[in-house]
């Protein structure tokens, strides 16, 4: 029997497991995929292990829903902060943890709104039709019309599997401007291999791309996702290096339980 917790951040949902004792068989991809399966398991866009680390409050280990260990997940990181607070690892409103892309600082308020510092970003490819950058995970960002009706699955899958991003592929974000410094996005996530209701590293990538290409003129940007609302804030210097990048939004416990494996 495995004890699990289910968290969601603007509809991006995760199976959370307290692995401080090191019991979880991380090499078992089939087990991870089973736990993330929405018919036979708990169900989630990914699975996250909270582990001990001597230098940090905790360590984040993130797996895609297909069982593969993945790059950084922004909403997953925010949910993990809320999970750490529930477990009593965080005794105030601040924490510092380590993930696959490095160190992260975060704050959490009484309403479980988490503000997570993402990695600094400087290497950004800007083309006429799209931007590409890594915000902890790789992201293709493309402006479209009528994003609500856009065929995210088929168009996202085509870009994700294209020669442009071979062999590893990329996440794909389709964007429409809603107002000044306000954008709506839909994201096709690799590893999930489908559209998700939200993507934190994707929202971060969109905010930076829109600022860099002149579609936004403020360093605080609102991002509407299918599952709710996020905010991205950053600092930027004369060399277009983006630092002190913060992704903010809700992170909520949905339910907890045990499952037999």
């Amino acid at each position: 029997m495995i004890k699990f917790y289910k968290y969601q951040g603007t509809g991006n949902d995760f199976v959370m497991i307290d692995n401080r004792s090191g019991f979880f068989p991380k090499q078992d991809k089939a087990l991870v995929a089973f736990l993330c399966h929405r018919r036979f398991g708990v169900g989630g866009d990914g699975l996250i292990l909270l582990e001990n680390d001597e230098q940090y409050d905790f360590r984040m280990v993130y797996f895609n829903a297909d069982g593969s260990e993945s790059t950084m997940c922004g909403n997953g990181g925010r949910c993990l902060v809320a999970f750490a607070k529930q477990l009593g690892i965080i005794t105030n409103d601040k924490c510092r943890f380590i993930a696959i892309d490095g160190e992260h600082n975060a704050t959490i308020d009484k309403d479980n709104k988490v503000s997570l510092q993402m990695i600094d970003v400087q290497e950004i490819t800007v083309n006429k039709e799209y931007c590409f950058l890594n915000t902890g995970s790789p992201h293709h960002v493309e402006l479209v019309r009528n994003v609500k009706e856009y065929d995210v699955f088929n168009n996202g899958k085509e870009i994700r599997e294209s020669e442009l991003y071979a062999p590893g592929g990329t996440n794909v974000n389709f964007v429409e401007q809603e107002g000044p410094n306000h954008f709506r996005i839909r994201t096709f996530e690799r590893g999930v291999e489908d559209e998700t209701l939200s993507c934190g590293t994707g929202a971060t990538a969109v905010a930076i791309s829109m600022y860099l290409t002149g579609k936004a003129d403020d360093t605080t940007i609102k991002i509407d996702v299918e599952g709710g609302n996020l905010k991205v804030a950053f600092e930027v210097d004369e060399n277009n290096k983006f630092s002190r990048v913060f992704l903010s939004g809700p992170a909520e416990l949905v339910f907890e339980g045990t499952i037999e494996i």
Side-chain angles (χ1 to χ4, degrees), residues 64 70-73 100-101 118-119 121 123 131-141 159-160 164-173 187-191 199-206 209:
N64 287 318
S70 184
T71 47
M72 181 57 184
C73 176
I100 194 168
D101 64 336
M118 309 295 283
I119 62 170
V121 178
E123 295 183 9
C131 294
F132 176 76
L133 62 163
N134 192 313
T135 53
S137 292
H139 282 277
H140 174 105
V141 176
I159 295 169
R160 180 258 188 271
L164 181 63
Y165 298 116
T170 185
N171 302 283
V172 184
N173 305 272
T187 303
F188 182 95
E189 284 199 53
R190 67 173 187 174
C199 178
T201 53
T204 305
V206 167
S209 298

Side-chain angles (χ1 to χ4, degrees), residues 113-163:
K113 181 172 283 189
V114 177
S115 182
L116 173 67
Q117 186 170 8
M118 309 295 283
I119 62 170
D120 293 350
V121 178
Q122 187 163 25
E123 295 183 9
I124 306 168
T125 300
V126 179
N127 286 315
K128 184 178 180 180
E129 296 181 351
Y130 69 89
C131 294
F132 176 76
L133 62 163
N134 192 313
T135 53
S137 292
H139 282 277
H140 174 105
V141 176
E142 184 174 319
L143 279 164
V144 299
R145 293 181 179 179
N146 194 13
V147 72
K148 289 183 179 180
E149 304 298 326
Y150 197 75
D151 187 353
V152 170
F153 179 81
N154 287 306
N155 291 313
K157 183 177 176 63
E158 182 179 357
I159 295 169
R160 180 258 188 271
E161 296 176 347
S162 69
E163 286 296 319

Side-chain angles (χ1 to χ4, degrees), residues 80-101:
L80 191 64
V81 172
F83 183 38
K85 180 84 170 183
Q86 179 188 347
L87 294 176
I89 297 169
I90 301 172
T91 56
N92 51 30
D93 62 350
K94 297 179 181 180
C95 69
R96 188 170 65 106
F97 68 91
I98 188 73
I100 194 168
D101 64 336

